[in-house]
């Protein structure tokens, strides 16, 4: 399992009150897990990820667990983040249950995070798990 700290900024100190502990995303062989204390968290099975790309998270988008148009973001600072587009709706905690098809994660080492998710997807598919429809 690879652990990726979330990028932090000046407003991160506000998160520490509601999200004690490390702000990290873990990429394992079967899932991507991100937790932000009482604010929420998500477990995304890697075989459900149809596409992973980048998104510029704006400063006015806020920090913490954020709800947007068809997405849930786990960000501790503005800047570049990864967006996981899923093959269907997934239930996440925001802190109440919420359904989404896109999950944004603001990892500090964005390149490493994207590569780790892609490698986990390839390994899962090689192990016989079905890739999402329309995937290369």
């Amino acid at each position: 399992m690879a652990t990726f700290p979330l990028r932090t900024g000046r407003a991160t100190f506000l998160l520490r009150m509601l999200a004690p502990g490390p702000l990290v995303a873990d990429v394992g062989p079967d899932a991507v897990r991100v937790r932000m204390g009482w604010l929420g968290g998500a477990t995304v099975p890697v075989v459900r990820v149809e596409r992973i790309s980048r998104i510029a998270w704006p400063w006015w988008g806020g920090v913490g667990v954020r709800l947007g148009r068809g997405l849930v973001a786990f960000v501790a600072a503005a800047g570049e983040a990864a967006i996981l587009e899923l093959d269907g709706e997934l239930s996440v905690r925001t802190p109440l249950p919420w359904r989404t098809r896109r999950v944004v994660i603001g990892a500090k080492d964005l390149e490493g995070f994207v590569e780790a998710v892609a490698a986990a997807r390839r390994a899962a598919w090689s192990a016989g798990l079905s890739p999402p429809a329309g995937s290369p």
Side-chain angles (χ1 to χ4, degrees), residues 66-94:
R66 312 302 297 172
L67 301 176
R69 285 189 170 167
L71 64 80
V72 173
F74 297 91
V75 292
E80 203 170 23
I83 183 166
L84 308 177
E85 296 183 45
L86 310 178
D87 63 353
E89 287 191 338
L90 178 75
S91 182
V92 299
R93 190 171 55 83
T94 66

Side-chain angles (χ1 to χ4, degrees), residues 4 27-29 32 46 49 51-52 84 110-126:
F4 296 90
V27 179
V32 176
V46 294
V49 178
R51 180 180 13 243
I52 183 168
L84 308 177
L110 192 60
E111 187 68 32
F113 178 76
V114 169
E115 287 298 322
V117 174
R121 286 175 57 204
R122 285 190 300 272
W125 297 346
S126 295

Side-chain angles (χ1 to χ4, degrees), residues 13-49:
F13 76 93
L14 296 172
L15 288 176
R16 297 295 179 188
M17 292 182 283
L18 296 173
L23 301 172
V24 297
D26 295 317
V27 179
D30 60 339
V32 176
R33 292 175 180 83
V34 61
R35 300 279 182 263
M36 293 191 96
W38 298 327
L39 297 175
T43 300
V44 180
V46 294
V47 296
R48 301 276 316 272
V49 178

Side-chain angles (χ1 to χ4, degrees), residues 8 12 20 24 31 35 50 57 61 66 76 99 104 110 114 130-131:
T8 58
T12 304
V24 297
R35 300 279 182 263
E50 281 189 335
W57 189 257
R66 312 302 297 172
R99 300 197 59 78
V104 175
L110 192 60
V114 169
S130 299

